[in-house]
Amino acid sequence: MEALRVLNNNVVLARDEKGREVILTGRGIGFTSRQGKPIDPDLIVRVFVPTDGRDPDHLAEALSLIGEEVLRAVVIALDEVGIEGRESTRPTLAIGVADHVAGALERAARGVVIEYPLRAEAQALYAAEYAQAQRLLEAINKRVDPQLDPSEATALALHLVNAGFASGDLSFTYTMTGVIQQMLAIVGEQYGLDIAQESLSAARFITHVRYLFVRIQQHGQLKGHEATIGKGIRQHYPEATRTAQKLATIVELRLGQQLSEDEVSYLALHVARMTMEGDGTTA
């Protein structure tokens, strides 16, 4: 790889063998790199390949502002627990996690512990990411001092969830979390059920809504299947369809986006599955 710009001793903007602009991190990688010269591959810890239209130069600058030890601890920990490989297309994840860890270390040094209000929601709605976050926290704690409090797993889990979106801003993830909770509450109230979030149907619903949020953010809602699929769902599950329309109203109020007929129909299908499971039947 050829160096394009040295940001600091640990971050270099480079061009790879495919002609892509990539961001390289590694202890001392910038110390020996020179613009236009090949980079020692033994010094490369992580290769970031921005693929979402973000400016590689801007992302490289953001990484360079993070302390050397924190950045090193995070990128190695992400690899160690299998969240990210040596090559990553999500530099915003490393930036977000490392920036959070830097702030958490400052708080830990002052003896400040934050109990995150979304802990229960993160554990219930994002069980896989929460388990990953706990492993990530353990891996990070092997490399930092002072140690981070176990409560930080909540924030790390939200960063992992957020990595599925184009934006590096956690506000969208916070909004999504609140909307999912509101949706489940509405279904429970509508049918007089105590929705078990660990149930298979609820897990399917949560996964579906998470991908719905991705489609909304990327302006790619499901469309075009209404004639064949949507009508059948509305015919077989009229009450679930009415509930799904209420859920669509919540999404529109919270996000300012009207759901397509297809999206409402698929919501209805998942509502039907949840409520039938609650009645001891299957859809």
Side-chain angles (χ1 to χ4, degrees):
M1 296 193 191
E2 176 184 303
L4 297 177
R5 182 183 173 197
V6 176
L7 280 301
N8 62 23
N9 284 347
N10 311 292
V11 181
V12 174
L13 182 67
R15 192 179 307 281
D16 68 6
E17 60 278 359
K18 298 179 182 179
R20 302 175 299 183
E21 287 192 8
V22 297
I23 305 165
L24 310 179
T25 65
R27 176 175 285 180
I29 191 172
F31 186 73
T32 59
S33 299
R34 297 292 180 271
Q35 185 176 351
K37 301 295 183 182
I39 296 170
D40 183 353
D42 292 336
L43 296 177
I44 301 172
V45 173
R46 177 65 59 81
V47 180
F48 291 105
V49 187
T51 60
D52 57 0
R54 293 176 180 270
D55 181 11
D57 193 69
H58 176 73
L59 290 171
E61 287 185 354
L63 279 170
S64 71
L65 296 175
I66 299 169
E68 171 187 347
E69 294 304 321
V70 171
L71 180 59
R72 181 172 182 271
V74 168
V75 296
I76 293 176
L78 285 168
D79 187 27
E80 180 179 297
V81 301
I83 294 174
E84 293 274 70
R86 188 168 183 267
E87 182 172 299
S88 167
T89 59
R90 301 185 296 180
T92 51
L93 173 60
I95 292 171
V97 171
D99 182 65
H100 177 83
V101 169
L105 286 170
E106 292 178 2
R107 292 193 297 272
R110 300 196 309 269
V112 177
V113 175
I114 294 179
E115 191 61 37
Y116 292 95
L118 292 178
R119 180 179 179 181
E121 288 84 349
Q123 287 177 311
L125 300 180
Y126 316 125
E129 286 88 349
Y130 194 87
Q132 282 185 319
Q134 289 178 309
R135 296 195 299 271
L136 178 61
L137 180 60
E138 183 179 352
I140 291 172
N141 271 338
K142 292 193 298 186
R143 297 173 173 87
V144 298
D145 184 40
Q147 300 284 281
L148 300 181
D149 190 81
S151 63
E152 296 297 340
T154 299
L156 294 179
L158 293 175
H159 277 288
L160 295 179
V161 172
N162 194 60
F165 300 104
S167 171
D169 185 355
L170 273 177
S171 62
F172 195 77
T173 298
Y174 292 143
T175 299
M176 178 180 71
T177 303
V179 172
I180 293 176
Q181 288 289 90
Q182 193 172 0
M183 284 179 162
L184 290 172
I186 287 173
V187 173
E189 292 171 2
Q190 186 79 19
Y191 293 87
L193 299 174
D194 182 12
I195 302 295
Q197 294 178 357
E198 67 276 8
S199 68
L200 180 59
S201 59
R204 285 173 178 160
F205 177 82
I206 292 167
T207 299
H208 175 79
V209 174
R210 289 177 60 179
Y211 282 108
L212 166 61
F213 271 69
V214 173
R215 292 193 294 274
I216 289 173
Q217 195 189 53
Q218 296 177 351
H219 306 289
Q221 289 190 48
L222 298 175
K223 294 180 181 179
H225 304 287
E226 173 63 19
T228 56
I229 298 176
K231 290 180 180 178
I233 292 174
R234 289 201 304 273
Q235 179 180 353
H236 286 91
Y237 309 114
E239 187 175 356
T241 298
R242 288 191 290 272
T243 302
Q245 289 166 341
K246 293 181 180 180
L247 303 184
T249 300
I250 296 299
V251 173
E252 184 174 357
L253 290 173
R254 296 291 297 275
L255 296 182
Q257 292 283 334
Q258 185 174 2
L259 294 189
S260 69
E261 289 295 329
D262 281 350
E263 295 289 6
V264 175
S265 294
Y266 281 112
L267 275 178
L269 182 61
H270 283 283
V271 169
R273 283 177 171 173
M274 275 196 295
T275 57
M276 288 180 179
E277 184 176 286
D279 289 336
T281 59
T282 56

